[in-house]
Amino acid sequence: VGILREAAQRILVEDGPAALQYSTTEGYLPLRQLIARHAARYGIARWFGQHATGPIPWHTFTVNVVGSFLLGALVGYAASREVSESARAFLAVGILGGFTTYSSFNGETLSLCEQRGAATAGGYVLATVTLCLVAGWSGGWAAHRFVA
């Protein structure tokens, strides 16, 4: 409950009152789903903040790799089942797109470049993109293998 409350407060601080009317291409996303995805991302960030050390933003890295796996699984599942375009867009863009975070990845990469140099930032970008692609492929493979 504490994480949900903190996530809701972050949503309202970061996104303002417009967060209550978050729209997707298919309509408005219910506030509880908005809070759930922010809570998941915030929970991962909080855990890594307490357990991970060093200059690499492991929380964003993990969220993006997990999100890529889930997106690959969704695409793999949707390819073998009859899933409507609106449901696919809602899950891929509305839920997983909100869970993963390019803006944080971008900002943290620029901070790494400034604080630790281009080599560290470049390594972070290369590792993130490579593992996200591998995770996406793995998610699709798992969906075909175990669900189809």
Side-chain angles (χ1 to χ4, degrees), residues 48-125:
F48 272 98
Q50 294 171 352
H51 296 91
T53 59
I56 303 300
W58 293 111
H59 55 285
T60 302
F61 179 82
T62 302
V63 162
N64 287 334
V65 171
V66 168
S68 294
F69 178 87
L70 294 174
L71 184 60
L74 171 66
V75 169
Y77 177 83
S80 64
R81 307 280 179 161
E82 196 169 308
V83 177
S84 71
E85 189 61 36
S86 61
R88 192 179 318 181
F90 171 75
L91 292 170
V93 177
I95 301 297
L96 294 175
F99 175 67
T100 59
T101 173
Y102 179 78
S103 57
S104 294
F105 169 69
N106 185 40
E108 290 166 350
T109 300
L110 294 174
S111 290
L112 270 176
C113 191
E114 232 174 61
Q115 296 170 2
R116 300 288 181 160
T120 301
Y124 175 64
V125 168

Side-chain angles (χ1 to χ4, degrees), residues 38-50:
H38 278 279
R41 187 170 63 198
Y42 180 69
I44 290 171
R46 188 169 179 182
W47 187 88
F48 272 98
Q50 294 171 352

